[in-house]
Amino acid sequence: GAVVSQHPSWVICKSGTSVKIECRSLDFQATTMFWYRQFPKQSLMLMATSNEGSKATYEQGVEKDKFLINHASLTLSTLTVTSAHPEDSSFYICSAVKAGLVAKNIQYFGAGTRLSVL
Amino acid sequence: QKEVEQNSGPLSVPEGAIASLNCTYSDRVSQSFFWYRQYSGKSPELIMSIYSNGDKEDGRFTAQLNKASQYVSLLIRDSQPSDSATYLCAVRGKTSYDKVIFGPGTSLSVIP
C-alpha cells in the first residue's frame, strides 16, 4: 500500500498564531510532496511542490513567507501557516509521490487538515 | 479557458445504472490522466489512471481516453449508493515534473 498520514486532522487557532501541519509517507519514500488547499465545493488548488532537500516551488499567488514548507526527509514534509487569519481557514491536503514512480506521478493523499482561524 | 473542465452536476442516477462522467482538458500535450473520488469532508482517493488512448477497465470502473478530442471519461457500472461522491478529473502535462491540474469535480448521487 501507500499510506500518507497527515496531522492534525482539525485545528482551531486564534488569529495571528502559526499552525504547523505534518505530512508523512508511512510505508514509502517520497521525493516529491504536494500541498493543496480546498475551499468548500471547490476543487483542489495546488499551493506548492515540495522536493526533499530543496526549496519548495510555490504556485503563482501563494505567499511563500506565509506558507512555509519544509521537506527535510524522504518521508516528511511540513506546512506552516504563519500569522494565520480567518481568510486562511480552509481544508489543506498533502499528497506524496512514491520515489521511482515519478514518471507515473500517482499521488497518494493524506486525510487533510481542516483549519479554522478565529 | 480553464485547463480541466467537468460538469459540476449534480448527476443523479438510479442504483444499478451506469454513471458517465466527462472531462475535457486544454493542454494538448498532456500525457497522464487520473480520476479521483472525494467524499464530503475527506481527501481524494485514486480510482483510475490512464495514459494511452482507449479504454481501461478496473472492476465496475472504466476510464476512456481520447487524446485527439482532449477528452477523458469515467464510466461506473452497476452504480451503488456508496458511489455517491464528487469525482475529480486530474491531468498532468508532458513530463514527469509537470504538476497535476485538477478539474472542479462532478457531484454524483446514486439514488437507491
Side-chain angles (χ1 to χ4, degrees):
Chain A
V3 180
V4 176
S5 172
Q6 188 172 341
H7 178 79
S9 58
W10 192 294
V11 59
I12 301 174
C13 69
K14 292 182 178 180
S15 185
T17 60
S18 294
V19 175
K20 179 184 281 189
I21 302 170
E22 291 188 349
C23 182
R24 293 180 185 272
S25 55
L26 296 185
D27 53 356
F28 65 98
Q29 293 184 329
T31 52
T32 302
M33 290 185 174
F34 300 91
W35 287 96
Y36 294 87
R37 183 174 181 175
Q38 188 177 35
F39 291 106
K41 299 191 183 300
Q42 295 188 24
S43 190
L44 279 71
M45 296 300 297
L46 180 64
M47 299 175 65
T49 302
S50 171
N51 294 299
E52 186 267 337
S54 63
K55 291 184 179 181
T57 302
Y58 290 82
E59 294 299 303
Q60 189 174 8
V62 178
E63 299 176 59
K64 62 180 181 181
D65 294 330
K66 181 167 184 62
F67 299 99
L68 300 179
I69 291 173
N70 185 292
H71 194 155
S73 76
L74 286 172
T75 59
L76 174 64
S77 177
T78 61
L79 167 68
T80 301
V81 183
T82 62
S83 186
H85 291 283
E87 58 266 29
D88 298 323
S89 299
S90 187
F91 191 44
Y92 292 87
I93 311 173
C94 73
S95 70
V97 178
K98 273 188 179 181
L101 283 182
V102 174
K104 294 296 187 183
N105 205 336
I106 294 178
Q107 298 182 44
Y108 298 93
F109 284 86
T113 297
R114 191 162 301 283
L115 171 63
S116 296
V117 184
L118 304 179
Chain B
Q1 181 186 8
K2 292 183 179 178
E3 295 182 75
V4 180
E5 297 197 54
Q6 299 177 251
N7 291 328
S8 61
L11 172 66
S12 294
V13 299
E15 183 174 356
I18 296 176
S20 178
L21 305 164
N22 303 316
C23 173
T24 58
Y25 58 94
S26 60
D27 188 349
R28 187 170 290 278
V29 300
S30 298
Q31 295 292 332
S32 304
F33 308 87
F34 310 91
W35 282 100
Y36 287 87
R37 177 175 62 196
Q38 186 176 25
Y39 292 110
S40 180
K42 304 295 184 181
S43 65
E45 56 179 319
L46 180 68
I47 298 175
M48 296 277 286
S49 59
I50 186 167
Y51 306 97
S52 55
N53 281 328
D55 295 359
K56 179 180 179 182
E57 185 174 322
D58 184 0
R60 295 187 295 113
F61 300 97
T62 299
Q64 298 175 318
L65 175 61
N66 184 324
K67 290 185 180 180
S69 300
Q70 295 174 235
Y71 174 90
V72 58
S73 67
L74 178 70
L75 299 177
I76 306 175
R77 290 182 299 281
D78 188 24
S79 295
Q80 301 297 309
S82 59
D83 294 327
S84 299
T86 296
Y87 289 80
L88 302 171
C89 171
V91 177
R92 196 198 77 198
K94 187 176 181 179
T95 75
S96 60
Y97 300 100
D98 286 343
K99 61 188 178 186
V100 172
I101 305 298
F102 284 83
T106 297
S107 175
L108 172 66
S109 179
V110 180
I111 311 301

